[in-house]
Amino acid sequence: MSWGTLLTLVPDPVREENATALRSDRKLREHAELRSEVQRLLKGTAKGRNVKPYAAYIAAGLRGELDKAWSSPPICLWSSRSLEPVDGVASLPLGVPIVAIDGETQVAAMHAIMNDPAAFDLDEAVIGRTPVAFEIYWDITTSDARQIFHDRNLFGVSVAKTLALSMDQRDFGTTIAQRVLSITEVSVDGKTESFSHFVNARKRQLGQNDSEWMTLSALRSLCVTVLLGKPGIEATSGTIEKSDLSGLDPQAALNEVSTTVSNLVRAFSNDLATRSALTAPAVLAGVGAAAHRTTSWTREEPRLTSEQLHSLLRQVRWEREEKYWEGVAAKRTASGGLSFAGGAKDSGHRVCDAIINPDSDLGKRIRGR
């Protein structure tokens, strides 16, 4: 159906949580009461906070800014009364309450756009005619509709944020990581192979039996910290946009960072291949923050040449042993083992400082001195 039809059938859920709007609109109150039986609140929740970003995303897609790389899922509707068959076509009887039991955030975002299309640089008439996919259930009870809501939200597994970022082709950190994969070849057992064969793009964390060296999200963390330095350690879990580059030319930054990371991968491929401490996400982030000091735009001191950086890294003992890494990027477990679990924010700063300052306590530790 068209946007205009859908938004006429399904009221704005944001208005349905507005006490003033409910007092003056009996039909809205009735719909809100039915909605409350099968939906959760928007106001004051993460779901509600997602309405504005979702609206911005949909609007960008409608404006053509995302080309073909965008979509919105079909909206799951529930009619509280049966549909009326007319000449083999099921029609909605007028005035029947229709509730979105899945996809309500999308409905709220669509209402936000339609309520002020000019703010989204869109034309109301064009929006109103735009088709939207939907599915609709009828001849089911309120309990059945509630169960559908429950099942879809219970069994739908959210993608880990770091994994989602590593798949976001509009994220600048992911763009750099993908460039590194495309330009880097490594020598393994006497054979030259693409580095992409050794990076797992499907998992958030590697298992013991996985053949890859690192995850794509870990490689992305390395790229982001080379790009931004120590502040990039905090930014590894967020989207990096070109506007975050503080005046840097995006193409120049892409070329320089991808070359720096590619050189690091080739120079330390043996340590990566053994899944040493170097492959831990926090360690990679610390290495990237240190490597940032080789970039042409760094303001961090001391600045380093690529040769100086590689010399510092060659001094490090990359074996996953307690005497080198406990208290730097790893901690002892209750069973007596050593765990490198944790993200870049947990210990990336310590790793960077230990690399840059060989004579510090941590610097001596990771060098086995």
Side-chain angles (χ1 to χ4, degrees), residues 158-176:
S158 298
V159 178
K161 187 175 182 181
T162 53
L163 180 59
L165 278 173
S166 70
M167 293 182 170
D168 185 359
Q169 302 308 301
R170 285 186 285 272
D171 170 68
F172 196 62
T174 300
T175 299
I176 299 173

Side-chain angles (χ1 to χ4, degrees), residues 25-310:
D25 191 329
R26 179 179 62 83
K27 286 289 187 181
L28 190 67
R29 282 198 307 274
E30 292 174 355
H31 191 278
E33 289 170 3
L34 186 63
R35 169 184 173 264
S36 68
E37 295 288 328
V38 298
Q39 265 294 350
R40 51 187 167 165
L41 290 175
L42 285 167
K43 192 173 183 179
T45 66
K47 176 184 174 182
R49 290 189 291 273
N50 195 39
V51 171
K52 287 184 178 180
Y54 205 163
Y57 169 75
I58 293 172
L62 291 175
R63 291 194 299 267
E65 295 173 5
L66 307 181
D67 197 21
K68 296 180 181 179
W70 78 284
S71 73
S72 55
I75 296 169
C76 177
L77 304 176
W78 166 50
S79 171
S80 58
R81 281 188 241 161
S82 297
L83 274 64
E84 298 175 349
V86 178
D87 297 329
V89 177
S91 302
L92 289 167
L94 294 176
V96 172
I98 306 294
V99 177
I101 52 178
D102 196 36
E104 188 181 61
T105 307
Q106 184 179 336
V107 171
M110 292 167 66
H111 272 287
I113 293 171
M114 189 62 92
N115 289 339
D116 191 3
F120 294 91
D121 197 21
L122 291 169
D123 179 81
E124 181 176 349
V126 174
I127 301 170
R129 294 191 299 269
T130 300
V132 57
F134 73 97
E135 56 181 301
I136 188 163
Y137 293 85
W138 70 95
D139 277 341
I140 64 173
T141 65
T142 302
S143 297
D144 293 333
R146 189 185 301 119
Q147 190 65 47
I148 292 173
F149 169 85
H150 167 273
D151 294 348
R152 291 200 174 199
N153 285 277
L154 176 67
F155 296 118
V157 179
S158 298
V159 178
K161 187 175 182 181
T162 53
L163 180 59
L165 278 173
S166 70
M167 293 182 170
D168 185 359
Q169 302 308 301
R170 285 186 285 272
D171 170 68
F172 196 62
T174 300
T175 299
I176 299 173
Q178 294 288 0
R179 170 67 69 84
V180 171
L181 294 179
S182 70
I183 67 173
T184 307
E185 292 187 337
V186 292
S187 180
V188 180
D189 298 329
K191 297 180 180 179
T192 300
E193 298 192 49
S194 171
F195 178 47
S196 62
H197 296 161
F198 304 102
V199 176
N200 190 313
R202 302 178 304 277
K203 287 187 174 182
R204 179 174 176 266
Q205 190 172 342
L206 294 180
Q208 288 185 341
N209 297 324
D210 288 319
S211 60
E212 295 89 355
W213 301 349
M214 67 179 73
T215 63
L216 182 57
S217 62
L219 175 62
R220 178 187 175 278
S221 293
L222 172 61
C223 296
V224 168
T225 51
V226 173
L227 175 69
L228 301 176
K230 277 191 172 182
I233 294 173
E234 299 300 317
T236 52
S237 61
T239 301
I240 306 297
E241 299 182 357
K242 292 179 180 179
S243 59
D244 298 322
L245 302 185
S246 302
L248 279 178
D249 176 66
Q251 188 61 49
L254 172 64
N255 293 339
E256 186 170 336
V257 173
S258 59
T259 299
T260 298
V261 174
S262 182
N263 290 339
L264 282 170
V265 169
R266 287 196 297 269
F268 295 91
S269 59
N270 289 337
D271 298 293
L272 295 170
T274 58
R275 297 270 294 273
S276 69
L278 180 55
T279 61
V283 176
L284 284 171
V287 169
H292 171 76
R293 294 168 187 250
T294 70
T295 62
S296 58
W297 57 86
T298 185
R299 296 180 180 178
E300 297 181 15
E301 297 290 343
R303 296 179 64 120
L304 299 170
T305 65
S306 295
E307 292 75 15
Q308 289 171 327
L309 172 69
H310 286 212

